[in-house]
Amino acid sequence: MTWAPESASGLIGAEIAGYRVERELGRGGMAVVYCAKDLRLGRTVALKLLAPEYTRNEAFRSRFAQESRVAAAIDHPNIVPVFEAGEADGVLYIAMCFVAGLDLRALLDREGPLAVPTALRIAAQLASALDAAHARDLVHRDVKPGNVLITKGVDSDHPEHVYLTDFGLAKKSLSLTGFTTAGEFVGTLDYVAPERIAGRPVDGRADQYSLACVVHETLAGAPPFKRADHLELLWAHQYDQPPALSKDRPDIPVAADEVLRRALAKIPDDRYDTCLEFVGALRAAVGGAGRSGSAPASADLPPAAPCTDQGTGAEPGAERGEEPEEPEERAEAPALPEPSPLPEPPEPPSWAGPVLRAPH
Ligand SMILES: Nc1ncnc2c1ncn2[C@@H]1O[C@H](COP(=O)(O)OP(=O)(O)OP(=O)(O)O)[C@@H](O)[C@H]1O
Ligand SMILES: [Mg+2]
């Protein structure tokens, strides 16, 4: 088996560790993610194959194994369930729940800044996921829009359902920034906390900083720090004050600036104790702006149910219409629709690029 095929169709139809590869969903700097069929259980999964340089890196391998176990053990409605992680023919893989939707990077690229209630709902779900991980001493380390998957929610109170993915896959073992051993840059520095840049120990508050960068971007259209080159960006995270959010979004009260500033504090002790505390403070600061606004950005998300261990792609229960009330921060899964047995894989979302079907 060859990894990282030149053409996207290279692995289509191949069997890897009991999964049949059906089509490519996307690729990042360290992996290619495929939609695949679990041949033992008949369910559709997302199969992530890690690049060989990670497989060869001993530190990464052991951390991958350990953190995959921890991530798989976290049962939280806003964390993508990991079914299995292992190695087959020298390739590290993770089989996880297939989320039919799009990632937050694609949503922001498509929609630009989001309505305040939508941004708050997304932030609250991410905060809930992160706090649950932090309670188990697991730091994500790579909170960014590309690792946030969004699918249609179950009802008008929950128009979108958000999943955080890629726990334990931050590029720590190669270097902070994602420079490969060949010196190529493969990641983003837009969301990285100052203590990571300084090489100091990180805890959940580093994720809070990254979450605040993401929240800033969902509301302002760009992360707080944009600089011409990587070094300037690193410097800005370390030393520059973040811009006031209310300058880009006049509909947001200035009280929100202080909340963002605190979550983006250079020193972790100066931040909120938890991510939910941060998002709660933000919701209080935006006041009425958090309850008004245009239709949710999820209006044309593909229909899909939240991930379950069965990996079903059942239809959501309700139509959406009026602007929903802002939900409470949720630590519980919304009511799931009845699972249907062994469904066909959902139609690929439009953002999935070229659609390649497995041979029958
Ligand atoms: N469980 C999943 N279900 C559906 N699509 C997924 C799933 N996991 C990842 N994807 C999609 O696969 C694509 C590639 O993901 P990947 O994690 O490799 O890249 P990334 O997060 O953009 O970058 P990085 O390499 O920095 O992690 C993303 O666009 C994401 O939307
Ligand atoms: Mg990712």
PDB file of all heavy atoms in Angstrom, residues 48 142 144 146-147 165-166, ligand 2:
ATOM      1  N   LYS A  48      -8.548   8.458   8.742  1.00  0.00           N
ATOM      2  CA  LYS A  48      -7.463   9.425   8.597  1.00  0.00           C
ATOM      3  C   LYS A  48      -6.145   8.673   8.522  1.00  0.00           C
ATOM      4  O   LYS A  48      -5.826   7.893   9.420  1.00  0.00           O
ATOM      5  CB  LYS A  48      -7.491  10.369   9.807  1.00  0.00           C
ATOM      6  CG  LYS A  48      -6.423  11.426   9.787  1.00  0.00           C
ATOM      7  CD  LYS A  48      -6.745  12.528  10.769  1.00  0.00           C
ATOM      8  CE  LYS A  48      -5.881  13.732  10.457  1.00  0.00           C
ATOM      9  NZ  LYS A  48      -6.401  14.950  11.056  1.00  0.00           N
ATOM     10  N   ASP A 142      -4.319  22.194  19.197  1.00  0.00           N
ATOM     11  CA  ASP A 142      -4.438  22.602  17.791  1.00  0.00           C
ATOM     12  C   ASP A 142      -5.872  23.042  17.480  1.00  0.00           C
ATOM     13  O   ASP A 142      -6.438  22.642  16.471  1.00  0.00           O
ATOM     14  CB  ASP A 142      -4.002  21.444  16.889  1.00  0.00           C
ATOM     15  CG  ASP A 142      -3.631  21.918  15.483  1.00  0.00           C
ATOM     16  OD1 ASP A 142      -3.415  23.127  15.298  1.00  0.00           O
ATOM     17  OD2 ASP A 142      -3.567  21.071  14.580  1.00  0.00           O
ATOM     18  N   LYS A 144      -8.429  25.094  15.959  1.00  0.00           N
ATOM     19  CA  LYS A 144      -8.437  25.987  14.793  1.00  0.00           C
ATOM     20  C   LYS A 144      -9.660  25.624  13.962  1.00  0.00           C
ATOM     21  O   LYS A 144     -10.232  24.532  14.116  1.00  0.00           O
ATOM     22  CB  LYS A 144      -7.157  25.803  13.971  1.00  0.00           C
ATOM     23  CG  LYS A 144      -6.988  24.390  13.464  1.00  0.00           C
ATOM     24  CD  LYS A 144      -5.785  24.265  12.558  1.00  0.00           C
ATOM     25  CE  LYS A 144      -5.734  22.861  11.970  1.00  0.00           C
ATOM     26  NZ  LYS A 144      -4.658  22.682  11.024  1.00  0.00           N
ATOM     27  N   GLY A 146     -10.119  24.536  11.039  1.00  0.00           N
ATOM     28  CA  GLY A 146     -10.042  23.292  10.267  1.00  0.00           C
ATOM     29  C   GLY A 146     -10.314  22.053  11.102  1.00  0.00           C
ATOM     30  O   GLY A 146     -10.609  20.991  10.559  1.00  0.00           O
ATOM     31  N   ASN A 147     -10.206  22.177  12.416  1.00  0.00           N
ATOM     32  CA  ASN A 147     -10.460  21.044  13.293  1.00  0.00           C
ATOM     33  C   ASN A 147     -11.834  21.114  13.951  1.00  0.00           C
ATOM     34  O   ASN A 147     -12.102  20.412  14.924  1.00  0.00           O
ATOM     35  CB  ASN A 147      -9.364  20.938  14.358  1.00  0.00           C
ATOM     36  CG  ASN A 147      -8.080  20.362  13.786  1.00  0.00           C
ATOM     37  OD1 ASN A 147      -8.127  19.655  12.773  1.00  0.00           O
ATOM     38  ND2 ASN A 147      -6.955  20.659  14.399  1.00  0.00           N
ATOM     39  N   THR A 165     -12.282  17.961  16.530  1.00  0.00           N
ATOM     40  CA  THR A 165     -11.568  16.743  16.143  1.00  0.00           C
ATOM     41  C   THR A 165     -10.069  16.937  16.299  1.00  0.00           C
ATOM     42  O   THR A 165      -9.597  18.020  16.634  1.00  0.00           O
ATOM     43  CB  THR A 165     -11.937  16.341  14.692  1.00  0.00           C
ATOM     44  OG1 THR A 165     -11.335  15.073  14.421  1.00  0.00           O
ATOM     45  CG2 THR A 165     -11.451  17.350  13.677  1.00  0.00           C
ATOM     46  N   ASP A 166      -9.335  15.878  16.075  1.00  0.00           N
ATOM     47  CA  ASP A 166      -7.873  15.894  16.077  1.00  0.00           C
ATOM     48  C   ASP A 166      -7.240  16.115  17.439  1.00  0.00           C
ATOM     49  O   ASP A 166      -6.214  16.795  17.549  1.00  0.00           O
ATOM     50  CB  ASP A 166      -7.328  16.931  15.093  1.00  0.00           C
ATOM     51  CG  ASP A 166      -7.289  16.389  13.676  1.00  0.00           C
ATOM     52  OD1 ASP A 166      -7.648  15.206  13.499  1.00  0.00           O
ATOM     53  OD2 ASP A 166      -6.915  17.135  12.774  1.00  0.00           O
TER      54      ASP A 166
HETATM   55 MG    MG B   2      -7.390  18.412  11.330  1.00  0.00          MG
END
